[in-house]
Amino acid sequence: MPYSNGLAKVCSIKCAYRYPQLTSCVTVVLPAFDPAASTPNLKPYKVHAYDNQRIDDDYVEGATDPAKIAPASPLLLPKAASVSASPSVSTSKLAPIYTSRIVLTTYPGQAGVTPIPLKWGDKNPRVRGPIIASRLPSSIKLRNATGAHGGSYSIYRALAIAIRELDANHVPDLHNTEPVVKIGPHPAWSDPEKIVSIDPWGHEIKDVFEKELKDGLDIRPTIAITKAHMKLMEVEDLVKRGKLNVDGKIVVNNQGDLMVTKGAVEPVWYLPGIAKRFEVDETTLRRALFEDTGGMYPELITRPDLKVFLPPIGGLSIYIMGNPDYLSDPTKKLTLRIHDECNGSDVFGSDICTCRPYLIFGIEEAVKTAQEGGVGLIVYFRKEGRALGEVTKYLVYNARKRAEGGDTAAAYFLRTENIAGVKDMRFQATMPDVLHWLGIQKIDKMISMSNMKYDAIVGSGIPILERVPIPADMLPPDSQVEIDAKVASGYFSHSQAPIDLATTKGRTWDDIHH
């Protein structure tokens, strides 16, 4: 098909899988590369590995001469420097990364596409198989997962490649990256229904898939485990007031520095298990994930054989106080705080909610349990603003403070529903997966008021012996609206909410004495 002003190529893309109505014509508009505008010190050019097989013999890899650079779009032809770009399309001064071939999606049974078999939940990791989402030449035809590594940070990786800060063909050097402590394997790792949102072998790929890595497969860790000192001013204050003791192992000094084992976990979704957990059919789940990410991942629709999805969302962090081996030892006491991200409070100390005080209280109780011979665990999920996002949260704050009659506990959840359409999207159904990954069999003390979290954990087969709400003396000045609304709606508490929730009011923006 001829190019239109050298700027666009029209490709017909047909989707035959289940949704014939998706059949459409896709127009791809690519920016021009103007060799005449290139700087004399052009970086050596390396065509993107995805397109290596498209390089013709007439072009030279590593060349800086435009005449020897393989065309990355219909615009870059050896003698097409005179082609003028549309005023709405910027002219690049950088050498191109890609050829003109764009693979928007693939299909089951397509020639050359042979995914590595994946048997989710098998106790033998080599039988289970590695998770491969890479589009590098060594792996693209063997991919058994949709999405990209890095969660929400995968977008920054794409940006780094676009601006030539990162070689698109870079493969991580995993030397000396092994976990600092041994986690698992635990029985839940071989139960395909116990863990569906993370890869239980995600921290062990360097060892269990050593051969595949040496063969050139791009297999990447989705879990990392390290050690650290943690310093918090509230913990230092607890030490000074004698509420925490310095033991030299967990609380290491009079400044309240904590020695912790910490881990980072990226999401890896086994779609049949996710669908079952949320009681929805897999086809609807795939369609919703496709539609409501702007069609970002077409293979959710065209590749029903790919059962694993690496979603572009935040992951979670774990902080272990004490011996990590004790997490899976039911004879040891375990204190747990499951905490969902709240940047405004956790980092910047906003007093409209209880998040940072509750997090500090959880850390305090976790440390005490570890010092008494047990173990403490903080799990921190990236679910800002009840997974509605920070912009939505701040819009809700504005609506609350400007409401006729003031910011009242009676309208606390309603304000959120008016803006977001739902009061909470954290949906704790997959939250217990990390606990099963750690081998936890029982929780002695859970620092939480949330019934959703409690029900999810207990429903997954882990008993909770004691629940602990936030102490009243730790409530920030403007957070009583939240607490009373939550208690009235059924959150766990030792206190009663006011009969008339309209009497609980938050301060106005100008009220500095509230």
Side-chain angles (χ1 to χ4, degrees), residues 138 148 156 164 184 199 204 258 262 284 310 325 347 355 389 405 476 485 494 497:
S138 62
Y156 288 103
R164 284 45 167 202
D199 176 7
E204 295 281 5
L258 303 178
K262 65 180 183 178
T284 298
L310 277 56
D325 291 340
V347 178
C355 295
H494 294 316

Side-chain angles (χ1 to χ4, degrees), residues 15-53:
C15 173
Y17 168 62
R18 296 199 184 190
Y19 302 112
Q21 68 271 26
L22 293 183
T23 300
S24 62
C25 187
V26 179
T27 301
V28 181
V29 180
L30 300 171
F33 170 71
D34 183 358
S38 300
T39 59
N41 299 320
L42 191 65
K43 292 181 180 179
Y45 165 73
K46 188 173 184 180
V47 75
H48 198 293
Y50 309 161
D51 300 314
N52 275 353
Q53 296 178 346

Side-chain angles (χ1 to χ4, degrees), residues 263-285:
V265 182
E266 292 178 358
V268 178
W269 286 7
Y270 177 59
L271 291 175
I274 294 288
K276 186 172 183 179
R277 193 74 64 85
F278 285 96
E279 300 180 341
V280 64
D281 64 276
E282 186 184 340
T283 299
T284 298
L285 174 65

Side-chain angles (χ1 to χ4, degrees), residues 386-419:
R386 301 190 198 134
L388 302 170
E390 200 166 28
V391 169
T392 295
K393 181 164 72 172
Y394 288 5
L395 293 174
V396 171
Y397 287 170
N398 286 346
R400 284 173 53 187
K401 294 302 182 182
R402 290 175 173 143
E404 184 177 350
D407 177 16
T408 69
Y412 175 78
F413 289 114
L414 180 61
R415 300 293 181 223
T416 303
E417 291 184 74
N418 287 344
I419 294 169

Side-chain angles (χ1 to χ4, degrees), residues 82-124:
S82 61
V83 175
S84 60
S86 163
S88 63
V89 180
S90 300
T91 299
S92 174
K93 294 184 179 180
L94 298 173
I97 302 174
Y98 306 96
T99 69
S100 59
R101 186 187 185 205
I102 302 175
V103 179
L104 292 183
T105 193
T106 57
Y107 302 89
Q110 187 174 342
V113 175
T114 56
I116 287 183
L118 192 66
K119 189 177 180 182
W120 191 268
D122 196 282
K123 64 180 180 180
N124 184 334

Side-chain angles (χ1 to χ4, degrees), residues 448-468:
S448 174
M449 298 171 64
S450 170
N451 292 334
M452 287 177 65
K453 294 175 183 176
Y454 175 86
D455 292 342
I457 293 172
V458 173
S460 76
I462 302 175
I464 296 173
L465 306 186
E466 180 185 2
R467 302 171 70 182
V468 183

Side-chain angles (χ1 to χ4, degrees), residues 115-382:
I116 287 183
L118 192 66
K119 189 177 180 182
W120 191 268
D122 196 282
K123 64 180 180 180
N124 184 334
R126 298 190 59 77
V127 175
R128 197 291 304 267
I131 304 295
I132 302 177
S134 171
R135 289 169 62 90
L136 293 183
S138 62
S139 306
I140 188 168
K141 295 179 180 180
L142 305 175
R143 290 165 59 246
N144 56 19
T146 303
H149 284 287
S152 58
Y153 297 102
S154 61
I155 305 301
Y156 288 103
R157 182 179 185 276
L159 178 60
I161 292 171
I163 63 175
R164 284 45 167 202
E165 289 294 327
L166 174 64
D167 182 352
N169 308 316
H170 174 74
V171 176
D173 179 356
L174 299 178
H175 178 63
N176 282 340
T177 61
E178 301 87 353
V180 297
V181 296
K182 179 70 173 176
I183 301 291
H186 298 295
W189 292 21
S190 56
D191 185 335
E193 296 188 1
K194 284 292 186 184
I195 300 177
V196 300
S197 63
I198 61 179
D199 176 7
W201 298 98
H203 59 310
E204 295 281 5
I205 66 109
K206 184 174 179 291
D207 292 328
V208 299
F209 299 119
E210 181 180 11
K211 179 183 181 301
E212 288 82 355
L213 288 168
K214 287 182 178 178
D215 289 344
L217 285 182
D218 186 13
I219 311 169
R220 305 200 178 197
T222 55
I223 300 174
I225 305 169
T226 188
K227 289 185 177 180
H229 280 198
M230 189 165 71
K231 188 175 184 64
L232 295 164
M233 63 179 184
E234 291 94 339
V235 175
E236 181 178 3
D237 182 62
L238 289 170
V239 171
K240 289 180 178 178
R241 290 193 287 131
K243 297 191 69 176
L244 281 180
N245 299 318
V246 176
D247 56 57
K249 295 181 179 180
I250 300 168
V251 182
V252 298
N253 55 35
N254 290 326
Q255 287 71 49
D257 290 359
L258 303 178
M259 174 64 79
V260 299
T261 302
K262 65 180 183 178
V265 182
E266 292 178 358
V268 178
W269 286 7
Y270 177 59
L271 291 175
I274 294 288
K276 186 172 183 179
R277 193 74 64 85
F278 285 96
E279 300 180 341
V280 64
D281 64 276
E282 186 184 340
T283 299
T284 298
L285 174 65
R286 287 173 174 268
R287 182 67 184 273
L289 291 172
F290 170 74
E291 296 287 357
D292 289 287
T293 57
M296 183 179 285
Y297 299 104
E299 285 175 326
L300 285 167
I301 302 297
T302 67
R303 293 296 302 277
D305 59 316
L306 300 184
K307 298 298 185 181
V308 171
F309 176 47
L310 277 56
I313 60 175
L316 64 91
S317 302
I318 59 171
Y319 288 81
I320 304 169
M321 288 76 176
N323 189 338
D325 291 340
Y326 291 175
L327 289 169
S328 58
D329 185 346
T331 69
K332 304 295 184 181
K333 287 189 175 181
L334 166 62
T335 291
L336 169 70
R337 167 69 182 168
I338 299 287
H339 192 90
D340 294 321
E341 180 181 29
C342 176
N343 183 63
S345 177
D346 296 343
V347 178
F348 292 100
S350 171
D351 71 348
I352 197 171
C353 64
T354 61
C355 295
R356 182 180 176 94
Y358 220 160
L359 177 59
I360 296 298
F361 179 57
I363 292 172
E364 177 187 353
E365 292 299 306
V367 169
K368 287 179 178 178
T369 300
Q371 290 182 325
E372 293 167 358
V375 63
L377 174 65
I378 307 295
V379 182
Y380 193 93
F381 282 88
R382 300 311 192 280

